[in-house]
């Protein structure tokens, strides 16, 4: 069996749910140490190693992947069917992201055994808890990392070379009206403003969907998560047992009260910090417009909470240029693009290494992986071998 496939299968067979990665971390360290690559855990349980350069005039490169997978600690029964690696369909395979982990390990092994290769060093970081809370990457001591350039091996498609990614920000709109009342007796009083109507006016104006995009893909978007308003308190408990909770709440809410509270919840994603701020300001300006319309009896509060900073495109094209050259050498079609979601690239891109240089990461795919995060997950072997070939060629080109 090919060394890459053998290493992947060995790791995939070890269950490693988020925050339950100790066994696979120990196996990674064992494999690396057997090749005299001194790897160790940090205080949080992430794994780190640095292969010393053979040419100090060159720059080091960091490969990053996460050890945890979606799934529990039940057995992982790996099955190989021709070009496909999968499980017996009882649980996830965990190619996300053990495909990245195994590829990084095998490249490290190959580099230390190639005495003729002149390079600036190879750094490996394997993190915990990427799938659940990204606590692993947030607990890395970045001041100990040597590299400036990073390949995060965590995309599900061979040839993906993603140079920016969207933030994840939550925005909450809360409407409060000062005077409620009876929907019959007080309905004609001009100072009785229904908060549900106010939030409806807000939602009608507030932008959602794709806000802007460029040649790399969607840059900024907004999504309306929910609208909550009215006399729903007495229906919440019983609605949990209803076949259609939303419809049940709507039909059984208290409708003889003029509502005084209403809320709307949005999520915002952007790979450009300026565009994100512009959109948030727009939401705040809409609140001001609504308040002017209804007057002093209406209050609107906007709360913004940042959950993941944007991974903005770097002005440094080093990795893109090397990626294109490496892909050309092996006949791989490289898709340089942006992705509208979060990954560990976002954290790296907003931190600095031990020399005070801002990290320059990209997210790449080393294999074609289908149905990730499900028992039907499968990885195509030929694509994985091609992905490793690209990774190796990239390292060679990086050190020219």
């Amino acid at each position: 069996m090919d060394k890459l496939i053998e290493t992947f299968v060995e790791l995939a067979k070890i269950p490693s749910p988020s925050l339950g990665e100790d066994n696979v971390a120990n196996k990674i360290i064992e494999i690396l140490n057997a090749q005299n690559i001194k790897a160790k855990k940090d205080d949080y349980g992430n794994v780190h190693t640095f292969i010393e350069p053979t040419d100090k005039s060159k720059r080091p490169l960091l490969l990053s992947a996460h050890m945890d997978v979606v799934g529990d600690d039940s057995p992982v029964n790996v099955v190989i069917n021709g070009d496909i690696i999968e499980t017996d369909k009882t649980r996830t395979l965990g190619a996300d992201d053990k495909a990245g982990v195994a590829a990084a390990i095998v490249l490290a092994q190959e580099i230390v055994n190639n005495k003729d290769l002149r390079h600036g060093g190879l750094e490996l970081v394997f993190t915990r808890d990427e799938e659940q809370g990204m606590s692993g990457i947030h607990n890395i001591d970045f001041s100990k990392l040597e590299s400036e350039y990073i390949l995060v091996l965590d995309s599900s498609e061979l040839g993906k070379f993603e140079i920016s990614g969207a933030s994840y920000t939550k925005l909450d709109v809360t409407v409060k009206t000062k005077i409620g009342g009876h929907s019959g007796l007080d309905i004609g009083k001009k100072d009785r403003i229904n908060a549900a109507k106010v939030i409806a006016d807000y939602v009608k104006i507030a932008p959602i969907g794709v806000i802007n995009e460029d040649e790399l893909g969607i840059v900024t978007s907004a999504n309306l998560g929910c609208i909550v308003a009215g006399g729903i308190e007495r229906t919440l408990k019983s609605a949990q047992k209803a076949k259609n909770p939303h419809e049940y709440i709507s039909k059984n809410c208290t409708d003889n009260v003029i509502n005084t509270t209403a809320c709307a919840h949005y999520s915002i994603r952007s790979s450009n910090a300026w565009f994100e701020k512009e959109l948030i300001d727009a939401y705040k300006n809409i609140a001001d417009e609504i308040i002017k319309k209804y007057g002093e009896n209406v209050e609107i509060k906007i709360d913004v909470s940042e959950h993941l900073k944007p991974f903005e495109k770097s002005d440094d094209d080093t990795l893109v240029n090397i990626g294109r050259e490496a892909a050309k050498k092996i006949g791989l079609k490289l898709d340089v693009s942006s992705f509208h979601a979060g990954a560990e690239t976002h954290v790296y891109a907003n931190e600095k290494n031990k020399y005070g240089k801002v990290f320059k990461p990209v997210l790449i795919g080393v294999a074609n992986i289908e149905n990730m995060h499900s028992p039907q997950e499968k990885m195509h072997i030929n694509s994985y071998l091609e992905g490793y070939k690209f990774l190796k060629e990239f390292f060679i080109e990086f050190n020219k």
Side-chain angles (χ1 to χ4, degrees), residues 151-307:
L151 299 183
V152 178
L153 315 179
D154 192 21
S155 184
S156 62
E157 188 176 338
L158 175 63
K160 282 291 185 183
F161 201 88
E162 294 165 311
I163 60 175
S164 62
S167 61
Y168 182 48
T169 297
K170 296 185 179 184
L171 186 143
D172 289 285
V173 183
T174 302
V175 172
K176 289 188 180 293
T177 54
K178 292 184 178 180
I179 309 173
H182 191 284
S183 64
L185 300 176
D186 300 313
I187 199 72
K189 297 176 181 177
K190 301 300 183 183
D191 60 349
R192 310 302 167 94
I193 301 169
N194 194 310
K197 173 64 168 63
V198 178
I199 203 73
D201 286 356
Y202 185 96
V203 169
K204 181 180 179 181
I205 301 171
I208 63 169
V210 175
I211 309 302
N212 47 51
E213 52 190 322
D214 61 16
E215 69 281 0
L216 296 176
I218 297 172
V219 177
T220 309
S221 71
N223 184 56
L224 176 60
C226 67
I227 305 169
V228 181
I232 63 173
E233 292 83 0
R234 69 183 181 88
T235 66
L236 291 176
K237 188 174 182 180
S238 52
Q240 295 177 15
K241 299 178 182 179
K243 185 176 181 180
N244 188 328
H246 299 80
E247 186 177 312
Y248 180 89
I249 290 173
S250 177
K251 288 183 177 180
N252 293 279
C253 66
T254 302
D255 56 11
N256 64 347
V257 171
I258 298 173
N259 304 302
T260 58
T261 302
C263 305
H265 177 77
Y266 292 85
S267 64
I268 294 172
R269 297 179 186 271
S270 182
S271 55
N272 183 295
W274 191 89
F275 284 153
E276 181 178 278
K277 182 181 181 302
E278 185 179 51
L279 181 58
I280 292 171
D281 287 344
Y283 277 95
K284 292 177 179 178
N285 292 336
I286 291 169
D288 293 339
E289 290 178 26
I290 299 293
I291 290 171
K292 286 179 183 178
K293 174 182 177 180
Y294 284 102
E296 63 181 12
N297 287 328
V298 170
E299 296 178 355
I300 302 179
K301 179 183 177 185
I302 306 290
D303 289 318
V304 179
S305 57
E306 182 183 69
H307 287 252

Side-chain angles (χ1 to χ4, degrees), residues 80-98:
I80 298 179
N81 290 318
D83 181 49
I84 300 297
I85 303 178
E86 55 190 345
T87 69
D88 58 359
K89 306 296 193 299
T90 58
R91 60 155 297 145
T92 55
L93 174 64
D96 174 20
D97 187 26
K98 287 177 181 173

Side-chain angles (χ1 to χ4, degrees), residues 47-67:
V47 175
H48 174 253
T49 188
F50 181 66
I51 297 173
E52 293 292 334
T54 55
D55 184 344
K56 292 188 178 180
S57 70
K58 300 179 183 297
R59 303 160 297 186
L61 178 68
L62 191 154
L63 304 181
S64 180
H66 63 87
M67 300 180 288

Side-chain angles (χ1 to χ4, degrees), residues 32 50 64 80 89 104 135 141 144 178 186 238 259 277 301 329 338 342 346 354 371 383 390:
L32 291 172
F50 181 66
S64 180
I80 298 179
K89 306 296 193 299
S135 63
D141 185 349
K144 292 182 178 179
K178 292 184 178 180
D186 300 313
S238 52
N259 304 302
K277 182 181 181 302
K301 179 183 177 185
K329 288 281 181 69
S338 177
H346 295 56
K354 68 186 294 183
N371 307 317
S383 73
F390 170 72

Side-chain angles (χ1 to χ4, degrees), residues 305-323:
S305 57
E306 182 183 69
H307 287 252
L308 192 64
K309 291 181 179 180
F311 162 33
E312 296 189 85
K313 180 181 178 296
S314 174
D315 293 331
D316 186 336
D317 291 330
T318 298
L319 295 183
V320 173
N321 294 334
I322 292 172

